[in-house]
Amino acid sequence: MFNKIMVPVDLAHVDKLTRALKTTADIAKLYNASVVYVGVTSSLPGALGHNPKEFEAKLKAFAEKQSASHGVTSECRTVISHDPSVDLDRSLARTVSELGCDLVVMATHVPNLADHFMHSHGGQLATHTDVSVFLIRG
């Protein structure tokens, strides 16, 4: 049913991804699917790396740890965005298509007042791609 699962990862908040990562691994094992951990960053220095190569090294280490921990086949993809806070939804939607993913599993939060004014990233992916999007509340 699923062949390639994309998991958007915010390396600054890995502690909030536990349920989504476990669910992804369970689905991947069930369908013998591969997993792609995707991180979006800018080319500017930040807390997660002075440049995209440093960020990519951290994302790769994260993906390798997940693969070893959960026993799934995985890879990672770093997406460089001019401004991730503005371009995140478009970057993720484009990456779904480029990678040929057929499922996206994302961690999400309990909806609050701000969600009535701004759409969720998961909602945007479901609206602007033709793949299934599975949102996991942390």
Side-chain angles (χ1 to χ4, degrees), residues 40-55 58 80-84:
V40 179
T41 189
S42 75
S43 58
L44 300 174
L48 296 170
H50 292 92
N51 55 53
K53 287 193 183 248
E54 284 185 19
F55 178 88
K58 289 181 180 182
I80 310 300
S81 169
H82 174 68
D83 185 352

PDB file of all heavy atoms in Angstrom, residues 40-55 58 80-84:
ATOM      1  N   VAL A  40      14.165  20.977   6.614  1.00  0.00           N
ATOM      2  CA  VAL A  40      14.220  22.208   5.830  1.00  0.00           C
ATOM      3  C   VAL A  40      15.039  23.227   6.615  1.00  0.00           C
ATOM      4  O   VAL A  40      14.799  23.441   7.800  1.00  0.00           O
ATOM      5  CB  VAL A  40      12.809  22.762   5.544  1.00  0.00           C
ATOM      6  CG1 VAL A  40      12.881  24.057   4.743  1.00  0.00           C
ATOM      7  CG2 VAL A  40      11.968  21.722   4.805  1.00  0.00           C
ATOM      8  N   THR A  41      15.993  23.847   5.934  1.00  0.00           N
ATOM      9  CA  THR A  41      16.854  24.841   6.565  1.00  0.00           C
ATOM     10  C   THR A  41      17.159  25.953   5.575  1.00  0.00           C
ATOM     11  O   THR A  41      16.852  25.828   4.388  1.00  0.00           O
ATOM     12  CB  THR A  41      18.173  24.199   7.070  1.00  0.00           C
ATOM     13  OG1 THR A  41      18.891  25.135   7.862  1.00  0.00           O
ATOM     14  CG2 THR A  41      19.032  23.719   5.924  1.00  0.00           C
ATOM     15  N   SER A  42      17.748  27.011   6.074  1.00  0.00           N
ATOM     16  CA  SER A  42      18.186  28.078   5.179  1.00  0.00           C
ATOM     17  C   SER A  42      19.698  27.973   4.998  1.00  0.00           C
ATOM     18  O   SER A  42      20.361  27.187   5.675  1.00  0.00           O
ATOM     19  CB  SER A  42      17.812  29.456   5.748  1.00  0.00           C
ATOM     20  OG  SER A  42      18.662  29.797   6.816  1.00  0.00           O
ATOM     21  N   SER A  43      20.232  28.785   4.122  1.00  0.00           N
ATOM     22  CA  SER A  43      21.680  28.769   3.901  1.00  0.00           C
ATOM     23  C   SER A  43      22.412  29.610   4.947  1.00  0.00           C
ATOM     24  O   SER A  43      23.634  29.608   5.000  1.00  0.00           O
ATOM     25  CB  SER A  43      22.010  29.270   2.494  1.00  0.00           C
ATOM     26  OG  SER A  43      21.491  30.569   2.325  1.00  0.00           O
ATOM     27  N   LEU A  44      21.668  30.306   5.784  1.00  0.00           N
ATOM     28  CA  LEU A  44      22.260  31.152   6.822  1.00  0.00           C
ATOM     29  C   LEU A  44      22.651  30.320   8.044  1.00  0.00           C
ATOM     30  O   LEU A  44      22.041  29.285   8.318  1.00  0.00           O
ATOM     31  CB  LEU A  44      21.269  32.239   7.242  1.00  0.00           C
ATOM     32  CG  LEU A  44      20.807  33.183   6.138  1.00  0.00           C
ATOM     33  CD1 LEU A  44      19.724  34.108   6.649  1.00  0.00           C
ATOM     34  CD2 LEU A  44      21.988  33.974   5.601  1.00  0.00           C
ATOM     35  N   PRO A  45      23.630  30.770   8.814  1.00  0.00           N
ATOM     36  CA  PRO A  45      23.990  30.061  10.047  1.00  0.00           C
ATOM     37  C   PRO A  45      22.821  30.046  11.028  1.00  0.00           C
ATOM     38  O   PRO A  45      22.046  30.998  11.106  1.00  0.00           O
ATOM     39  CB  PRO A  45      25.145  30.903  10.609  1.00  0.00           C
ATOM     40  CG  PRO A  45      25.648  31.719   9.482  1.00  0.00           C
ATOM     41  CD  PRO A  45      24.486  31.923   8.561  1.00  0.00           C
ATOM     42  N   GLY A  46      22.695  28.945  11.751  1.00  0.00           N
ATOM     43  CA  GLY A  46      21.629  28.824  12.735  1.00  0.00           C
ATOM     44  C   GLY A  46      22.055  27.911  13.863  1.00  0.00           C
ATOM     45  O   GLY A  46      23.188  27.409  13.896  1.00  0.00           O
ATOM     46  N   ALA A  47      21.131  27.675  14.775  1.00  0.00           N
ATOM     47  CA  ALA A  47      21.417  26.846  15.947  1.00  0.00           C
ATOM     48  C   ALA A  47      21.758  25.406  15.571  1.00  0.00           C
ATOM     49  O   ALA A  47      22.454  24.719  16.319  1.00  0.00           O
ATOM     50  CB  ALA A  47      20.225  26.874  16.890  1.00  0.00           C
ATOM     51  N   LEU A  48      21.297  24.949  14.414  1.00  0.00           N
ATOM     52  CA  LEU A  48      21.518  23.560  14.017  1.00  0.00           C
ATOM     53  C   LEU A  48      22.665  23.382  13.030  1.00  0.00           C
ATOM     54  O   LEU A  48      22.886  22.296  12.532  1.00  0.00           O
ATOM     55  CB  LEU A  48      20.226  22.976  13.439  1.00  0.00           C
ATOM     56  CG  LEU A  48      19.087  22.894  14.446  1.00  0.00           C
ATOM     57  CD1 LEU A  48      17.779  22.551  13.747  1.00  0.00           C
ATOM     58  CD2 LEU A  48      19.397  21.873  15.519  1.00  0.00           C
ATOM     59  N   GLY A  49      23.364  24.460  12.757  1.00  0.00           N
ATOM     60  CA  GLY A  49      24.514  24.363  11.862  1.00  0.00           C
ATOM     61  C   GLY A  49      24.913  25.717  11.322  1.00  0.00           C
ATOM     62  O   GLY A  49      24.061  26.573  11.102  1.00  0.00           O
ATOM     63  N   HIS A  50      26.204  25.870  11.106  1.00  0.00           N
ATOM     64  CA  HIS A  50      26.705  27.117  10.551  1.00  0.00           C
ATOM     65  C   HIS A  50      26.417  27.237   9.054  1.00  0.00           C
ATOM     66  O   HIS A  50      26.456  28.325   8.497  1.00  0.00           O
ATOM     67  CB  HIS A  50      28.214  27.230  10.785  1.00  0.00           C
ATOM     68  CG  HIS A  50      28.554  27.408  12.221  1.00  0.00           C
ATOM     69  ND1 HIS A  50      28.832  26.349  13.054  1.00  0.00           N
ATOM     70  CD2 HIS A  50      28.633  28.518  12.981  1.00  0.00           C
ATOM     71  CE1 HIS A  50      29.081  26.806  14.265  1.00  0.00           C
ATOM     72  NE2 HIS A  50      28.968  28.119  14.252  1.00  0.00           N
ATOM     73  N   ASN A  51      26.150  26.094   8.441  1.00  0.00           N
ATOM     74  CA  ASN A  51      25.866  26.070   7.010  1.00  0.00           C
ATOM     75  C   ASN A  51      25.042  24.815   6.704  1.00  0.00           C
ATOM     76  O   ASN A  51      24.876  23.948   7.566  1.00  0.00           O
ATOM     77  CB  ASN A  51      27.164  26.098   6.202  1.00  0.00           C
ATOM     78  CG  ASN A  51      28.104  24.975   6.589  1.00  0.00           C
ATOM     79  OD1 ASN A  51      27.719  23.803   6.592  1.00  0.00           O
ATOM     80  ND2 ASN A  51      29.342  25.315   6.933  1.00  0.00           N
ATOM     81  N   PRO A  52      24.509  24.720   5.491  1.00  0.00           N
ATOM     82  CA  PRO A  52      23.676  23.559   5.160  1.00  0.00           C
ATOM     83  C   PRO A  52      24.389  22.214   5.303  1.00  0.00           C
ATOM     84  O   PRO A  52      23.754  21.215   5.653  1.00  0.00           O
ATOM     85  CB  PRO A  52      23.269  23.815   3.707  1.00  0.00           C
ATOM     86  CG  PRO A  52      23.270  25.304   3.596  1.00  0.00           C
ATOM     87  CD  PRO A  52      24.445  25.744   4.441  1.00  0.00           C
ATOM     88  N   LYS A  53      25.700  22.163   5.084  1.00  0.00           N
ATOM     89  CA  LYS A  53      26.425  20.885   5.214  1.00  0.00           C
ATOM     90  C   LYS A  53      26.417  20.401   6.663  1.00  0.00           C
ATOM     91  O   LYS A  53      26.276  19.206   6.912  1.00  0.00           O
ATOM     92  CB  LYS A  53      27.843  21.008   4.689  1.00  0.00           C
ATOM     93  CG  LYS A  53      27.905  21.083   3.185  1.00  0.00           C
ATOM     94  CD  LYS A  53      29.326  20.895   2.703  1.00  0.00           C
ATOM     95  CE  LYS A  53      29.355  21.060   1.206  1.00  0.00           C
ATOM     96  NZ  LYS A  53      29.633  19.870   0.490  1.00  0.00           N
ATOM     97  N   GLU A  54      26.592  21.313   7.615  1.00  0.00           N
ATOM     98  CA  GLU A  54      26.528  20.929   9.031  1.00  0.00           C
ATOM     99  C   GLU A  54      25.128  20.444   9.395  1.00  0.00           C
ATOM    100  O   GLU A  54      24.971  19.461  10.115  1.00  0.00           O
ATOM    101  CB  GLU A  54      26.920  22.105   9.930  1.00  0.00           C
ATOM    102  CG  GLU A  54      28.395  22.377   9.981  1.00  0.00           C
ATOM    103  CD  GLU A  54      28.751  23.465  10.981  1.00  0.00           C
ATOM    104  OE1 GLU A  54      27.943  23.774  11.884  1.00  0.00           O
ATOM    105  OE2 GLU A  54      29.861  24.018  10.848  1.00  0.00           O
ATOM    106  N   PHE A  55      24.109  21.148   8.907  1.00  0.00           N
ATOM    107  CA  PHE A  55      22.725  20.726   9.148  1.00  0.00           C
ATOM    108  C   PHE A  55      22.491  19.340   8.560  1.00  0.00           C
ATOM    109  O   PHE A  55      21.919  18.465   9.199  1.00  0.00           O
ATOM    110  CB  PHE A  55      21.745  21.734   8.533  1.00  0.00           C
ATOM    111  CG  PHE A  55      20.308  21.344   8.690  1.00  0.00           C
ATOM    112  CD1 PHE A  55      19.591  21.707   9.818  1.00  0.00           C
ATOM    113  CD2 PHE A  55      19.651  20.607   7.712  1.00  0.00           C
ATOM    114  CE1 PHE A  55      18.266  21.344   9.975  1.00  0.00           C
ATOM    115  CE2 PHE A  55      18.334  20.240   7.848  1.00  0.00           C
ATOM    116  CZ  PHE A  55      17.632  20.606   8.989  1.00  0.00           C
ATOM    117  N   LYS A  58      23.885  16.551  10.646  1.00  0.00           N
ATOM    118  CA  LYS A  58      23.040  16.260  11.810  1.00  0.00           C
ATOM    119  C   LYS A  58      21.793  15.483  11.398  1.00  0.00           C
ATOM    120  O   LYS A  58      21.378  14.560  12.085  1.00  0.00           O
ATOM    121  CB  LYS A  58      22.660  17.546  12.534  1.00  0.00           C
ATOM    122  CG  LYS A  58      23.825  18.166  13.254  1.00  0.00           C
ATOM    123  CD  LYS A  58      23.439  19.429  13.983  1.00  0.00           C
ATOM    124  CE  LYS A  58      24.672  19.995  14.673  1.00  0.00           C
ATOM    125  NZ  LYS A  58      24.387  21.192  15.438  1.00  0.00           N
ATOM    126  N   ILE A  80      17.012  23.179   1.128  1.00  0.00           N
ATOM    127  CA  ILE A  80      17.476  24.538   1.398  1.00  0.00           C
ATOM    128  C   ILE A  80      16.387  25.508   0.943  1.00  0.00           C
ATOM    129  O   ILE A  80      15.962  25.467  -0.210  1.00  0.00           O
ATOM    130  CB  ILE A  80      18.791  24.860   0.653  1.00  0.00           C
ATOM    131  CG1 ILE A  80      19.836  23.767   0.888  1.00  0.00           C
ATOM    132  CG2 ILE A  80      19.304  26.236   1.055  1.00  0.00           C
ATOM    133  CD1 ILE A  80      20.212  23.551   2.318  1.00  0.00           C
ATOM    134  N   SER A  81      15.967  26.360   1.857  1.00  0.00           N
ATOM    135  CA  SER A  81      14.920  27.333   1.576  1.00  0.00           C
ATOM    136  C   SER A  81      15.440  28.730   1.875  1.00  0.00           C
ATOM    137  O   SER A  81      16.191  28.934   2.833  1.00  0.00           O
ATOM    138  CB  SER A  81      13.704  27.030   2.457  1.00  0.00           C
ATOM    139  OG  SER A  81      12.773  28.086   2.409  1.00  0.00           O
ATOM    140  N   HIS A  82      15.036  29.686   1.084  1.00  0.00           N
ATOM    141  CA  HIS A  82      15.424  31.077   1.322  1.00  0.00           C
ATOM    142  C   HIS A  82      14.943  31.526   2.700  1.00  0.00           C
ATOM    143  O   HIS A  82      15.664  32.160   3.452  1.00  0.00           O
ATOM    144  CB  HIS A  82      14.859  31.983   0.226  1.00  0.00           C
ATOM    145  CG  HIS A  82      15.091  33.436   0.467  1.00  0.00           C
ATOM    146  ND1 HIS A  82      16.349  33.995   0.428  1.00  0.00           N
ATOM    147  CD2 HIS A  82      14.238  34.442   0.785  1.00  0.00           C
ATOM    148  CE1 HIS A  82      16.257  35.284   0.706  1.00  0.00           C
ATOM    149  NE2 HIS A  82      14.991  35.580   0.919  1.00  0.00           N
ATOM    150  N   ASP A  83      13.703  31.187   3.035  1.00  0.00           N
ATOM    151  CA  ASP A  83      13.121  31.538   4.334  1.00  0.00           C
ATOM    152  C   ASP A  83      12.183  30.412   4.761  1.00  0.00           C
ATOM    153  O   ASP A  83      11.006  30.405   4.391  1.00  0.00           O
ATOM    154  CB  ASP A  83      12.372  32.862   4.233  1.00  0.00           C
ATOM    155  CG  ASP A  83      11.852  33.350   5.579  1.00  0.00           C
ATOM    156  OD1 ASP A  83      11.934  32.601   6.576  1.00  0.00           O
ATOM    157  OD2 ASP A  83      11.363  34.498   5.632  1.00  0.00           O
ATOM    158  N   PRO A  84      12.674  29.441   5.530  1.00  0.00           N
ATOM    159  CA  PRO A  84      11.846  28.293   5.915  1.00  0.00           C
ATOM    160  C   PRO A  84      10.545  28.665   6.611  1.00  0.00           C
ATOM    161  O   PRO A  84       9.539  27.966   6.455  1.00  0.00           O
ATOM    162  CB  PRO A  84      12.757  27.497   6.850  1.00  0.00           C
ATOM    163  CG  PRO A  84      14.134  27.863   6.443  1.00  0.00           C
ATOM    164  CD  PRO A  84      14.047  29.309   6.030  1.00  0.00           C
TER     165      PRO A  84
END
